[in-house]
Amino acid sequence: MLPPFKIFAGTKSEYMAKEICEDLGVELGKMNIQHFADGEFEVSFEESIRGCEVYLVQSTFPNCDNLMELLLMIDAAKRASAASIIAVMPYFGWARQDRKDKPRVSIAAKLVADLLSTAGVNRVICMDLHADQIQGFFNVPVDHLYASSVFIPYIESLHLDNMVIATPDVGGAKRANNYAKYFDVPLVLCHKQRAKANVVASMTVIGDVKDKNVILIDDMVDTAGTITKAADLMMSEGAKSVRALCSHAIMSDPASQRVDDCSVVEMIFTNSIPYKGNCKKCTILSVAHLFADTIRRVHENQSISSQYLI
């Protein structure tokens, strides 16, 4: 007999949890978050979860309240005698800080992993981490999903000829190379140099994009400085068109305006983060079914490897 499972959502990820519940044919669990005048808040479950497998849906994009909410949800579930606690994190925030790239800096991704483990999480389900090795920061199982399962069918629906896959920086070469192998098309790299965080000083294209339909692949777009500069550069090199597929739409100002003003034809995101901008070039694809199917398989102790297209 499998234990019953219930799904709950943090404040900013309720939209995703509702889609997941609809796909699974279950009701979203009842939870209350009470806010105090000074900004402190308290999490409480409004139904029994004793002996249940509890799935907590919450992306940890800014601000820090989303991370703190998830930690309190985990702690409350543990103290309410849940059989197991699974954090469903479509977007794992703080992931860009995954190593010491200069002296005397924090490794925030490791710290967040430790916080989740200390709070009492038993498993993590996430998607398109900034760096795959972040899975190793956890001492609990991590199911790392890929947005390729929704991006690849979308690319195929475009029926593009003379297609090349590109990456806006060398750090994303492995991710882009997987797409290039799948479609059996050339890979183009962009080499960038940063003046400081969120500011690109210079960029060069490595590869041939002349008369090609370019698909830029990246895991996240923050201020959109890198990806728009890459799109404009490739068009100047003779590209026929440039589209961008990015898993997480952070889209901090002035990202939407930059995308509207640049040469990119279309910017495709997943709904791992709720995009509330008004950029006409942005297309949002839902990954709720991907997470719903993973939850179903995890609960029934089935393999999830069939979900990985690349």
Side-chain angles (χ1 to χ4, degrees), residues 42-55:
E42 176 186 74
V43 171
S44 62
F45 292 94
E46 299 300 303
E47 57 185 272
S48 175
I49 57 173
R50 183 179 297 275
C52 293
E53 196 171 74
V54 176
Y55 293 85

Side-chain angles (χ1 to χ4, degrees), residues 46-168:
E46 299 300 303
E47 57 185 272
S48 175
I49 57 173
R50 183 179 297 275
C52 293
E53 196 171 74
V54 176
Y55 293 85
L56 306 175
V57 182
Q58 178 76 313
S59 287
T60 54
F61 53 93
N63 58 38
C64 296
D65 285 357
N66 297 312
L67 174 59
M68 192 64 191
E69 257 188 31
L70 178 58
L71 294 171
L72 292 178
M73 289 161 67
I74 294 168
D75 185 68
K78 178 178 66 176
R79 297 178 189 278
S81 302
S84 61
I85 304 164
I86 298 94
V88 180
M89 306 172 69
Y91 171 69
F92 182 88
W94 313 91
R96 282 173 283 188
Q97 301 177 57
D98 62 336
R99 67 196 185 283
K100 287 186 70 174
D101 56 352
K102 61 181 180 180
R104 298 176 296 279
V105 296
S106 64
I107 305 179
K110 170 60 174 168
L111 175 60
V112 171
D114 288 343
L115 288 170
L116 292 168
S117 297
T118 300
V121 76
N122 300 112
R123 178 184 289 271
V124 174
I125 301 174
C126 56
M127 184 186 75
D128 279 4
L129 292 168
H130 187 63
D132 288 356
Q133 60 266 27
I134 290 174
Q135 298 171 75
F137 291 172
F138 289 90
N139 292 319
V140 297
V142 176
D143 294 311
H144 184 207
L145 310 180
Y146 297 100
S148 57
S149 61
V150 296
F151 283 155
I152 285 177
Y154 189 83
I155 295 174
E156 290 172 338
S157 72
L158 297 174
H159 303 292
L160 298 174
D161 57 352
N162 294 326
M163 186 173 74
V164 297
I165 300 294
T167 175

Side-chain angles (χ1 to χ4, degrees), residues 270-282:
T270 75
N271 63 340
S272 62
I273 296 175
Y275 174 60
K276 297 181 179 179
N278 57 359
C279 178
K280 296 177 181 178
K281 295 181 180 180
C282 289

Side-chain angles (χ1 to χ4, degrees), residues 259-275:
V259 172
D260 273 334
D261 294 343
C262 80
S263 304
V264 72
V265 174
E266 185 180 19
M267 184 81 72
I268 303 105
F269 296 111
T270 75
N271 63 340
S272 62
I273 296 175
Y275 174 60

